[in-house]
Amino acid sequence: MRTYDRNRNPISTGSRVMISGSGQTGVIKAIHADGLSAEKVRREKTVEVEGCDGQYAPVELIRLGLH
């Protein structure tokens, strides 16, 4: 599954990201998008980031490079 970060950069499983609110960094390990439209995936807490607790909305993430 591919979605877009807060700057409209494409992100997917394996992308290295920073959480904008806390500055924590990690790698996306899952995007839970079952049955959701692309807009809802981007706005709802659907992304699991390795090394960070909870799930995040893609608009809370900033891509740190290509994978």
Side-chain angles (χ1 to χ4, degrees):
M1 173 68 192
R2 185 188 340 186
T3 187
Y4 297 89
D5 71 358
R6 71 179 307 152
N7 298 319
R8 294 237 175 239
N9 295 311
I11 56 175
S12 60
T13 304
S15 295
R16 185 160 174 75
V17 295
M18 179 175 70
I19 300 163
S20 62
S22 67
Q24 289 180 289
T25 62
V27 175
I28 295 175
K29 63 180 179 179
I31 300 174
H32 303 284
D34 299 334
L36 298 175
S37 68
E39 183 178 319
K40 285 189 177 187
V41 170
R42 190 162 185 257
R43 304 240 179 258
E44 294 184 18
K45 295 185 182 289
T46 57
V47 179
E48 287 183 51
V49 179
E50 192 174 292
C52 301
D53 293 330
Q55 292 185 350
Y56 301 91
V59 295
E60 298 176 291
L61 304 174
I62 300 169
R63 187 181 74 189
L64 295 178
L66 300 173
H67 63 89

